[in-house]
């Protein structure tokens, strides 16, 4: 397979950041001018267990763990510019993961924050085993000589670039970045060196990025915290108000169904010293993307997005599922949905199935409902006459899922389901009339008796008045 070569020369990149480098932040960085975006570091052991799933509802490719968690989500928009970073200590496992994702990413990166002897073995295996560029990211070692020798060994593995965080292992962001180390490294090798680590003390705005390039003698720069605080740092047009950046980020989070706690974490990082403001407290208290949207006044956008995604989900389900009964193990399934508007008031398929069961002297229908994690949708299975029935489509509520299961049972059994315009079956008509005739627990017959009694009382009263006159 021919390699899709992503260039690492003369780029500005979003650095890999745990809990930050997910799809919404990566797309936001690209919008503002980043050339390359790295995902958060993902551990090879977890990724190796994932299956690749094409998500037609979101237009994404998802890598889903056995417990249905989405470990990595990407889309066509970033396909030629996203770098997948992994944490690994095993060459074979690293290759397994790289081959799993290589069709959907522009490059694969290995986090070598604390380089070990096996690190270069991993790089060699990846370079020879995948079709996309391989890179790595390191911190500087205690001496310049050690660091230069390490990068020269890395260069021989065939990697496309090395990102260098200009701090020692024990140093933290408050410590100044060692630009002299990065410059010496860049001069010692022929592959691109990506300078990293200047967010706190050097890079505050887009114009500062160029100064960092000059200070390190590199053509490429990678930003972490500066981008996390305000992704418009990538924009050559100047910084945007963080409030606008947060709103644009949140729209992406809603559009791609980002996990609410990840969304909340990223917004809190953008709020920084305003995290205890009224808005910050609202965000911290929120438990869902709907509640977060409310804090930012995006309730309407959230609702419209949910409706659009649900409509797409329904359309895809309907087009991919047969409308005739299908045996799935011991369950008979059909692709049906419960539409409330198709039934008269007070009439539901569940009522028809219950009345039929009573008429046939059977146990009443038993419903078992499950909810899936990715979209919180429901699916129900009904057992009646010792047979099981289920709709293959998922519903937005438990009640609707049970009604859909009842519809499948009724249709397979050839029993009327009470839809508007359907020939009257007599199954629940009497029950319906009784329900509609009740007013505060009183039936039509009882009301008639009360009217007669009231008329009698009035006639008696009139007669009494006449006698008195």
């Amino acid at each position: 397979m021919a390699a899709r070569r992503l260039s690492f020369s003369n780029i500005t990149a979003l650095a890999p950041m745990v809990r930050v480098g997910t799809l919404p932040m990566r797309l936001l960085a690209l919008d503002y001018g980043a050339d390359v975006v790295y995902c958060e570091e993902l551990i090879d052991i977890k990724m190796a267990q994932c299956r690749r799933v094409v998500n037609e509802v979101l237009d994404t490719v998802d890598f889903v763990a056995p417990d249905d968690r989405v470990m990595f989500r990407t889309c066509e928009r970033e396909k030629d510019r996203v770098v997948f970073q992994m944490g690994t200590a095993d060459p074979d496992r690293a290759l397994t993961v790289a081959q799993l994702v290589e069709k959907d990413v522009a490059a694969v990166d290995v986090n070598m924050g604390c380089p070990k002897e096996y690190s270069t073995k991993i790089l060699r295996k990846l370079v020879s085993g995948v079709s996309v560029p391989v890179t790595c990211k390191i911190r500087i070692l205690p001496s310049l000589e050690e660091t230069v020798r390490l990068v020269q060994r890395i260069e021989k593995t065939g990697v496309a670039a090395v990102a260098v965080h200009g701090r020692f292992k024990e140093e933290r962001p408050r410590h100044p970045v060692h630009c002299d180390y990065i410059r010496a490294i860049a001069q010692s090798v022929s592959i691109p060196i990506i300078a990293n680590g200047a967010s706190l003390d050097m890079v505050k705005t887009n114009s500062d990025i160029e100064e960092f390039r000059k200070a390190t003698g590199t053509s490429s720069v990678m930003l972490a915290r500066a981008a996390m605080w305000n992704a418009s740092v990538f924009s050559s047009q100047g910084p945007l108000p963080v409030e606008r950046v947060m709103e644009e980020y949140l729209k992406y989070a809603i559009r791609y169904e980002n996990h609410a706690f990840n969304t909340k974490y990223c917004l809190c990082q953008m709020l920084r010293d305003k995290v205890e403001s009224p808005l910050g407290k609202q965000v911290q208290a929120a438990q869902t993307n709907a509640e977060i949207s409310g804090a930012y006044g995006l309730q309407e956008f959230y609702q419209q997005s949910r409706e659009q995604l649900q409509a797409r989900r329904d359309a895809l389900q309907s087009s991919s599922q047969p409308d005739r009964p299908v045996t799935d193990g011991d369950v008979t399934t059909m692709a049906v949905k419960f539409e409330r508007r198709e039934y008269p008031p007070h009439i539901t398929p569940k009522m028809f199935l219950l009345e039929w069961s009573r008429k046939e002297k059977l146990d009443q229908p038993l419903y078992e409902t499950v909810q899936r994690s990715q979209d919180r949708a429901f699916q129900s299975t009904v057992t009646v006459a010792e047979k099981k029935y289920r709709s293959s489509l998922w519903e937005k509520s438990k009640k609707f899922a049970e009604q859909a299961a009842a519809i499948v049972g009724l249709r397979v059994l050839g029993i009327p389901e009470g839809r508007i315009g359907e020939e009257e079956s007599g199954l629940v008509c009497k029950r319906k009339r009784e329900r509609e005739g009740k007013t505060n627990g009183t039936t039509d017959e009882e009301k008639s008796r009360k009217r007669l009694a009231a008329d009698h009382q009035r006639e008696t009263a009139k007669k009494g008045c006449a006698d008195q006159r």
Side-chain angles (χ1 to χ4, degrees):
M1 184 187 299
R4 303 188 304 272
R5 304 305 296 181
L6 174 66
S7 173
F8 289 90
S9 297
N10 300 300
I11 65 161
T12 304
L14 175 71
M17 290 179 280
V18 175
R19 292 187 288 179
V20 174
T22 47
L23 183 59
M25 184 64 79
R26 299 197 305 266
L27 294 178
L28 191 66
L30 290 175
D31 285 349
Y32 289 136
D35 300 301
V36 175
V37 289
Y38 284 66
C39 75
E40 62 178 335
E41 179 190 11
L42 294 165
I43 306 304
D44 62 351
I45 296 176
K46 294 180 180 179
M47 282 298 302
Q49 301 173 34
C50 290
R51 67 185 189 280
R52 180 184 183 272
V53 177
V54 176
N55 187 329
E56 294 181 302
V57 176
L58 298 181
D59 278 332
T60 60
V61 174
D62 300 343
F63 292 85
V64 184
D67 62 0
D68 287 334
R69 283 189 303 157
V70 177
M71 301 300 298
F72 176 57
R73 171 169 285 162
T74 185
C75 66
E76 188 68 26
R77 163 88 167 84
E78 66 170 6
K79 185 175 182 178
D80 61 348
R81 293 200 275 174
V82 64
V83 180
F84 179 89
Q85 189 191 65
M86 76 172 90
T88 181
D90 182 273
D92 293 330
R93 197 160 55 230
L95 182 59
T96 296
V97 173
Q99 290 175 338
L100 175 67
V101 303
E102 67 176 314
K103 294 179 181 178
D104 303 295
V105 299
V108 172
D109 182 82
V110 177
N111 185 1
M112 291 173 52
C114 303
K116 300 290 191 295
E117 181 60 34
Y118 56 73
S119 299
T120 52
K121 295 179 182 177
I122 294 171
L123 294 176
R124 289 193 190 94
K125 187 132 193 171
L126 291 176
V127 168
S128 63
V130 297
S131 61
V132 294
V134 176
T135 64
C136 68
K137 185 171 182 288
I138 67 167
R139 273 184 177 248
I140 58 176
L141 300 179
S143 75
L144 178 57
E145 292 73 18
E146 287 180 89
T147 311
V148 168
R149 284 198 299 270
L150 170 65
V151 177
Q152 289 173 338
R153 289 203 309 274
I154 291 173
E155 181 182 27
K156 292 176 182 177
T157 66
V159 296
V162 178
V164 179
H165 183 110
R167 289 187 180 86
F168 303 126
K169 176 183 175 182
E170 66 278 4
E171 289 185 324
R172 295 294 174 260
R174 66 178 182 276
H175 295 104
V177 62
H178 298 275
C179 292
D180 55 335
Y181 270 63
I182 301 176
R183 175 180 286 277
I185 294 167
Q187 292 172 347
S188 69
V189 292
S190 60
I191 58 174
I193 298 298
I194 308 169
N196 175 233
S199 289
L200 191 64
D201 55 346
M202 291 188 69
V203 177
K204 302 290 193 301
T205 66
N206 183 264
S207 60
D208 296 331
I209 296 174
E210 187 59 33
E211 295 304 313
F212 187 42
R213 292 185 207 272
K214 292 177 181 178
T216 56
T218 61
S219 68
S220 298
V221 168
M222 175 183 284
L223 300 179
R225 293 158 71 87
M228 175 180 71
W229 293 326
N230 189 328
S232 70
V233 70
F234 291 111
S235 175
S236 59
Q237 305 302 311
L240 295 172
V242 71
E243 292 78 13
R244 178 175 167 183
V245 175
M246 287 190 288
E247 184 175 309
E248 294 303 316
Y249 167 82
L250 183 52
K251 286 180 178 179
Y252 271 132
I254 294 167
R255 163 68 180 84
Y256 288 101
E257 295 188 335
N258 197 50
H259 195 288
F261 288 99
N262 178 256
T263 301
K264 182 163 71 169
Y265 177 85
C266 291
L267 289 170
C268 285
Q269 298 308 308
M270 294 183 221
L271 283 164
R272 299 186 70 185
D273 57 352
K274 295 180 181 177
V275 75
E276 292 302 322
S277 67
L279 174 60
K281 288 179 179 179
Q282 270 189 282
V283 173
Q284 291 184 75
Q287 298 297 307
T288 64
N289 279 331
E291 293 175 356
I292 298 171
S293 300
Y296 285 87
L298 291 175
Q299 301 97 319
E300 185 175 349
F301 178 86
Y302 175 83
Q303 189 58 38
Q304 289 176 348
S305 297
R306 296 298 300 169
E307 289 172 359
Q308 290 169 2
L309 291 175
Q310 188 59 49
R312 183 162 189 172
R313 188 174 285 116
D314 292 345
L316 287 167
Q317 285 189 355
S318 298
S319 64
S320 64
Q321 298 288 345
D323 57 3
R324 62 184 183 279
V326 174
T327 301
D328 182 8
D330 63 342
V331 183
T332 300
T333 70
M334 290 179 68
V336 299
K337 290 188 74 67
F338 172 66
E339 299 287 352
R340 174 70 266 187
R341 65 180 179 274
E342 295 180 358
Y343 299 85
H346 312 301
I347 295 293
T348 66
K350 284 183 67 176
M351 290 171 57
F352 270 75
L353 192 60
L354 176 61
E355 290 303 316
W356 179 81
S357 301
R358 288 172 173 169
K359 180 182 175 183
E360 299 295 320
K361 296 182 171 50
L362 299 169
D363 291 338
Q364 72 177 49
L366 177 65
Y367 295 86
E368 296 179 57
T369 305
V370 296
Q371 185 178 29
R372 63 184 178 190
S373 59
Q374 58 263 46
D375 59 3
R376 314 303 292 167
F378 295 84
Q379 188 179 62
S380 186
T381 302
V382 61
T383 302
V384 61
E386 299 183 348
K387 301 287 185 180
K388 294 182 178 181
Y389 305 95
R390 173 197 304 147
S391 172
S392 55
L393 309 183
W394 293 72
E395 294 279 5
K396 62 184 178 181
S397 72
K398 180 175 182 289
K399 290 181 180 179
F400 277 36
E402 291 178 349
Q403 297 291 358
I407 293 172
V408 175
L410 291 164
R411 292 184 184 178
V412 173
L413 292 167
I415 304 166
E417 59 192 74
R419 296 171 72 182
I420 294 172
E422 190 176 80
E423 185 177 344
E424 194 171 287
S425 67
L427 272 175
V428 296
C429 291
K430 180 180 177 182
R431 179 182 290 265
K432 177 188 174 186
R433 286 196 301 269
E434 289 177 350
R435 181 181 290 105
E436 291 179 338
K438 286 184 178 180
T439 303
N440 295 325
T442 306
T443 64
D444 288 340
E445 186 178 349
E446 290 170 337
K447 286 196 292 184
S448 179
R449 286 199 302 268
K450 288 185 177 181
R451 275 198 304 273
L452 289 171
D455 290 345
H456 177 71
Q457 287 177 347
R458 280 195 297 272
E459 290 298 323
T460 302
K462 286 180 183 178
K463 186 178 179 181
C465 289
D467 291 344
Q468 290 177 3
R469 287 197 298 268

